Amino acid sequence: MKICSKIAGIGKCIPTKRVTNDDLAKFLNTSDEWIKQRTGIEQRYWVENNESTSDLALVAANEALKKAGLAATDLEMIIFATLSPDHFFPGTACFLQAKLGVPGIAALDVRQQCTGFLYGLSIADLYIRQGIYKNVLVVGAEVHSKGLDKTDRGRDVTVLFGDGAGAVVLSRTEVNNAEKDAHIYSTHLHADGTYAKELWVQSPGMANGPELITLGEVQEGLQYPQMNGRMVFTHAVRSMCDVINEGLKYNNLKIEDVDFFAFHQANMRINEKVAQLLNIPAEKVFNTIQKYGNTTAATIPIGLTDAVQEHKLKPGMLVASAAFGSGFTWASSIFRY
Ligand code: UT7
């Protein structure tokens, strides 16, 4: 018998405002054809003006708790992965904790962008395996729509991102039969900060000059994400292949042993290329980018929630999840659902 962690409940929150590619083409020099062909994205969802990242997270968290059969008061820690926090500080985990009404428990923000959820999962898993906590909430939530450049200057990035939240409750479990019992096998985390400026938001920031942000920087659009798309694409394909292989090798598993691949959703072509290079049959890869765009840290838990709802991900299945994003950061997790 081994003490491990397992996914006890999952949930998501998708805002109600649907934004199609044609909607974007009303104010950006872009087209449904270009976006679909280059990325696979057909639509995304944006929040209303008064909705925040922690608002979306709260809905996803409550659904995950309900599925786990737990109350918020059963949680001992909240890990919140986001690149679009409610405020510059304090961390969004604190805002969510207040909304959940559970003062006193640990609240931690993770700033690892598209890889944030897997970084969070890894931290939660270790706290549980060490016997410190029994139930940890891991949330990935993003409000991109308020921080995108809605002029042609930013069209390469603006068409890619959507808002949303996903959450899992990770709980302590006793594993007697690793080939049957739900549990996290391992997580593998990486980063290479030499590429930090290939996908980043420069301002506001303390590294720029005398002020947090200047009017000149705002006029230049430095508060919006800047991306070297081709470089990100190439690194994403290579790193996701490497980190999936690393996770499988660590557990003495082969690609064929995996029932379900939960990849981050940045570009359908990235996932198709990864599947092709690793010899993964297309039906084992669950994609949601068509519906939601790239929701960064929220992507993987949103995908898991949909896959369970659509009966594609079933109890007992072996899952390999991988993500790549700004930092550069990349990670994988192998788990049995
Ligand atoms: O989560 C991690 C974050 N992001 C990623 O993983 C993204 C990785 N990169 C990508 O997905 C792709 O590089 C993009 C989808 C961003 C771009 O696709 P691409 O095939 O690499 O296109 P490109 O940047 O080389 O641009 C091709 C053309 C350019 O025009 P010219 O120079 O050939 O005349 C762009 O100006 O497409 C133009 N373009 C657009 N056209 C219509 C760029 N953005 C748009 C747009 N609509 N939104």
Side-chain angles (χ1 to χ4, degrees):
M1 192 274 290
K2 214 166 97 181
I3 296 292
C4 292
S5 75
K6 69 164 182 182
I7 295 179
I10 52 180
K12 70 165 193 218
C13 175
I14 305 296
T16 48
K17 202 198 308 173
R18 189 168 78 99
V19 179
T20 64
N21 294 341
D22 285 333
D23 290 332
L24 293 182
K26 287 178 195 151
F27 58 88
L28 282 180
N29 181 13
T30 191
S31 66
D32 179 50
E33 193 194 359
W34 190 95
I35 300 170
K36 262 201 248 171
Q37 206 176 64
R38 304 278 177 144
T39 72
I41 299 168
E42 293 168 17
Q43 57 175 46
R44 73 287 293 138
Y45 292 83
W46 286 3
V47 292
E48 300 295 341
N49 292 348
N50 57 353
E51 286 176 310
S52 73
T53 306
S54 63
D55 288 336
L56 302 184
L58 178 66
V59 177
N62 278 328
E63 190 181 319
L65 283 165
K66 197 171 163 203
K67 294 269 164 58
L70 296 173
T73 46
D74 294 315
L75 294 172
E76 292 148 297
M77 185 183 205
I78 296 170
I79 301 177
F80 200 123
T82 186
L83 64 71
S84 49
D86 279 8
H87 297 282
F88 205 61
F89 76 86
T92 313
C94 290
F95 290 102
L96 177 62
Q97 189 218 49
K99 287 178 183 176
L100 283 166
V102 284
I105 66 166
L108 174 71
D109 274 42
V110 170
R111 297 282 311 270
Q112 261 49 42
Q113 304 71 243
C114 301
T115 317
F117 177 76
L118 293 179
Y119 265 75
L121 195 75
S122 151
I123 298 166
D125 175 52
L126 288 176
Y127 268 105
I128 291 171
R129 270 200 280 151
Q130 287 299 313
I132 298 169
Y133 295 136
K134 279 196 193 117
N135 298 306
V136 179
L137 178 72
V138 186
V139 188
E142 306 286 1
V143 171
H144 283 295
S145 56
K146 297 185 189 184
L148 294 170
D149 187 350
K150 304 203 181 66
T151 70
D152 285 343
R153 183 178 56 188
R155 67 176 179 171
D156 58 327
V157 173
T158 298
V159 301
L160 302 177
F161 292 101
D163 302 341
V168 307
V169 175
L170 219 62
S171 294
R172 186 194 297 188
T173 186
E174 289 179 5
V175 174
N176 295 306
N177 182 346
E179 286 177 19
K180 280 201 182 136
D181 299 344
H183 69 291
I184 308 285
Y185 281 49
S186 66
T187 47
H188 295 268
L189 311 179
H190 296 280
D192 186 347
T194 53
Y195 296 100
K197 296 182 180 177
E198 303 300 335
L199 174 50
W200 70 322
V201 175
Q202 186 174 343
S203 293
M206 304 307 179
N208 297 331
E211 295 292 332
L212 184 59
I213 189 161
T214 62
L215 187 57
E217 286 167 345
V218 172
Q219 281 158 351
E220 253 188 275
L222 299 189
Q223 71 278 31
Y224 298 123
Q226 318 287 325
M227 176 176 71
N228 181 344
R230 293 230 163 153
M231 185 181 269
V232 175
F233 192 105
T234 315
H235 280 259
V237 171
R238 194 186 324 130
S239 303
M240 281 173 55
C241 288
D242 288 350
V243 79
I244 285 278
N245 280 330
E246 181 185 10
L248 292 175
K249 192 171 169 210
Y250 180 82
N251 294 291
N252 287 318
L253 293 165
K254 295 199 227 39
I255 284 283
E256 308 82 81
D257 298 322
V258 178
D259 301 305
F260 184 92
F261 289 86
F263 292 143
H264 174 59
Q265 307 280 309
N267 187 321
M268 188 74 96
R269 291 188 295 136
I270 293 179
N271 291 355
E272 285 168 358
K273 194 82 196 153
V274 170
Q276 182 203 333
L277 290 171
L278 293 180
N279 270 322
I280 300 170
E283 61 273 15
K284 284 191 180 180
V285 181
F286 189 73
N287 288 312
T288 54
I289 192 162
Q290 326 80 280
K291 291 195 279 187
Y292 307 127
N294 182 353
T295 56
T296 47
T299 301
I300 290 174
I302 288 175
L304 294 175
T305 309
D306 278 6
V308 169
Q309 265 164 15
E310 294 170 28
H311 306 290
K312 302 246 167 67
L313 175 56
K314 296 179 198 140
M317 278 186 159
L318 188 68
V319 181
S321 185
F324 179 90
S326 158
F328 289 159
T329 55
W330 62 104
S332 69
S333 178
I334 310 287
F335 60 90
R336 195 169 292 284
Y337 178 66

